[in-house]
Amino acid sequence: MQKYPANLTSLPTMLNDIRNEINLFVHDAKQQRRLELCTEEILVNIIEYAYPNTVGALYISVEYIMEFKQLRFTFYDEGIPYNPLLELSEHNKITSLEEQPIGGLGIFLYTTIMDGAEYKYINNKNQLTVWKNLN
């Protein structure tokens, strides 16, 4: 599991590490880009919303697991409890992209591209797991 400071200046390092992990298992360039986009959306949301008005050493941990042809990413943070998957119900009611509200499009994007997503709040940590089934 990798641990990073929860700030935008750490984002390039986080994305590079994730890209390297994706490239170990996914060899299709289009699918690689889509997975990178999903993980970037998740990281930016955590950085921008999990720690409002907080100063100090805050971290995001990312765990990668490849198991049974399924690539799983679990993102951990100690920010305010927040289940992003609850936002989906509002977006699923709207059929066109133009009608989508501005907030929550990243959540809609990564839950559409990925094969599954799950949220838990355990031991004072948000845990968002997303996965992609690979052929």
Side-chain angles (χ1 to χ4, degrees), residues 77-82 119-127:
D77 71 80
E78 296 176 351
I80 58 173
Y82 175 69
Y119 170 84
K120 296 177 185 175
Y121 188 76
I122 299 174
N123 297 327
N124 296 318
K125 288 185 183 179
N126 292 294
Q127 297 179 20

Side-chain angles (χ1 to χ4, degrees), residues 21-37:
E21 192 69 25
I22 290 169
N23 292 345
L24 290 174
F25 304 107
V26 179
H27 304 295
D28 177 69
K30 181 179 177 181
Q31 191 164 0
Q32 288 171 343
R33 286 190 304 277
R34 294 177 95 189
L35 292 171
E36 290 171 19
L37 177 63

Side-chain angles (χ1 to χ4, degrees), residues 59-132:
Y59 295 94
I60 298 172
S61 297
V62 183
E63 182 177 43
Y64 324 100
I65 298 172
M66 177 64 175
E67 194 171 66
F68 305 112
K69 294 189 176 188
Q70 184 179 80
L71 183 56
R72 300 174 73 86
F73 299 92
T74 301
F75 301 85
Y76 302 89
D77 71 80
E78 296 176 351
I80 58 173
Y82 175 69
N83 181 351
L85 303 178
L86 295 177
E87 300 281 332
L88 286 178
S89 60
E90 290 304 311
H91 288 282
N92 288 340
K93 294 176 187 174
I94 301 169
T95 55
S96 76
L97 186 59
E98 293 81 18
E99 294 177 35
Q100 293 285 341
I102 292 175
L105 277 178
I107 298 164
F108 181 76
L109 173 78
Y110 68 74
T111 56
T112 302
I113 291 174
M114 301 303 277
D115 290 317
E118 176 182 75
Y119 170 84
K120 296 177 185 175
Y121 188 76
I122 299 174
N123 297 327
N124 296 318
K125 288 185 183 179
N126 292 294
Q127 297 179 20
L128 178 64
T129 301
V130 295
W131 59 90
K132 185 71 176 170

